[in-house]
Amino acid sequence: MKKLSILFVCLVFVIGASAINQKDDKIPASAKSGFAAKFPTAQKAKWSVEKPGEFEAEFTLNKVETSALLDAKGTVLETETEIKESELPQAVKAALAKDFAGYKLDEIEKATDAKGSVSYEMEAVKGKEKLEISFDVNGKLLKKETLKEKD
């Protein structure tokens, strides 16, 4: 029985490692090389398929949690960098104070698209209500989406 338990545990590890490698195998070499060229000092990159033809790398850059969305050619489509609430532009802080007073903010990120446009994305929670919201640099609300419990 003990041998069977050990064999089962080993089998679970082998299958888990295989699944991780298969997931990473779905990322084109050109996406990985484009990532390496753009973020040469990135640490602990974890890859996933965002949607067909788009791949996300989550990593640490200069001790900051960051993610990058790349296409199959290795072109960076968007980067998201974790920031503190105090780092939000004054216009975004004003919009939050006006329209989202009493909400607790979480997962605040600065997003920069391929054209250099910047937006700020975050979760806002008040009681049982959980929203994903984003603003442009001028404090204009770009998105307000209710999140379900699983999100």
Side-chain angles (χ1 to χ4, degrees), residues 36-90:
K38 180 75 174 174
F39 306 100
T41 60
Q43 298 175 349
K44 302 177 185 177
K46 294 179 186 175
W47 287 91
S48 62
V49 177
E50 185 74 11
K51 62 182 182 181
E54 291 185 5
F55 309 93
E56 182 178 35
E58 295 180 2
F59 55 99
T60 303
L61 186 65
N62 302 324
K63 299 181 182 179
V64 177
E65 294 297 316
T66 306
S67 68
L69 186 64
L70 295 97
D71 64 16
K73 295 177 184 177
T75 303
V76 176
L77 305 173
E78 180 183 63
T79 59
E80 293 180 343
T81 306
E82 186 177 279
I83 63 170
K84 297 176 184 171
E85 187 173 346
S86 61
E87 297 175 82
L88 289 169
Q90 192 57 44

Side-chain angles (χ1 to χ4, degrees), residues 107-128:
E107 297 186 28
I108 304 170
E109 297 174 330
K110 177 182 178 181
T112 307
D113 69 16
K115 295 177 182 176
S117 295
V118 174
S119 62
Y120 296 88
E121 303 171 356
M122 65 212 69
E123 288 182 3
V125 181
K126 185 175 185 182
K128 293 184 179 182

Side-chain angles (χ1 to χ4, degrees), residues 12-27:
V12 168
F13 282 117
V14 168
I15 291 171
S18 174
I20 290 169
N21 290 338
Q22 287 175 355
K23 187 176 184 180
D24 200 40
D25 288 344
K26 293 180 180 179
I27 310 302

Side-chain angles (χ1 to χ4, degrees), residues 92-112:
V92 175
K93 289 179 184 178
L96 286 165
K98 179 182 175 211
D99 299 326
F100 296 94
Y103 283 80
K104 181 179 182 289
L105 302 180
D106 193 26
E107 297 186 28
I108 304 170
E109 297 174 330
K110 177 182 178 181
T112 307

